[in-house]
Amino acid sequence: VGTETVPVSDHESIEVTVRIPGNKPSDSNNTPAKKSAGESCTSDDECTNDACGRPMAGTDNLVCCPLGRNTLYAFYDYCTGMPGGTLCWSDAMCASGNCSGNWGGLRKGRCS
């Protein structure tokens, strides 16, 4: 957050507050700074990438998704692009596009 003086005419100028998105300090309105990928969150709007979700099946922990995307499964948000070996519910969660052994979403599988 910074302040700049901007001329509006030959004889007048105004001060404006400049905030770079993703900065850690809160802004002048005491709005909390957005969180980076991997940081704990409770909603999409808390994250710089606008994607908050569970990093794998079987957890209730929420993080700002590393790839900036999430998918809805059974009314819960899950991060997409999960690496091989990660517990998953659906193919859409996996980087490979395959959640092996999930019986079509009836049980947890693993990203292949």
Side-chain angles (χ1 to χ4, degrees):
V1 177
T3 305
E4 286 187 27
T5 302
V6 179
V8 292
S9 72
D10 289 339
H11 305 287
E12 289 184 89
S13 61
I14 58 171
E15 276 195 19
V16 294
T17 301
V18 179
R19 182 173 184 270
I20 299 170
N23 269 7
K24 290 291 180 187
S26 61
D27 63 23
S28 61
N29 295 324
N30 292 324
T31 303
K34 296 242 181 178
K35 298 177 179 185
S36 300
E39 290 188 89
S40 180
C41 57
T42 57
S43 65
D44 290 344
D45 62 350
E46 291 180 14
C47 302
T48 56
N49 59 19
D50 294 319
C52 180
R54 287 158 178 77
M56 67 179 164
T59 184
D60 286 329
N61 296 332
L62 297 170
V63 299
C64 294
C65 296
L67 297 182
R69 294 185 308 271
N70 56 20
T71 186
L72 190 65
Y73 180 84
F75 304 104
Y76 294 104
D77 285 320
Y78 289 88
C79 295
T80 60
M82 295 176 184
T86 304
L87 288 173
C88 54
W89 288 108
S90 74
D91 294 343
M93 296 174 189
C94 303
S96 67
N98 184 24
C99 180
S100 182
N102 69 338
W103 288 10
L106 296 177
R107 69 177 193 177
K108 286 181 262 188
R110 289 204 180 263
C111 293
S112 55

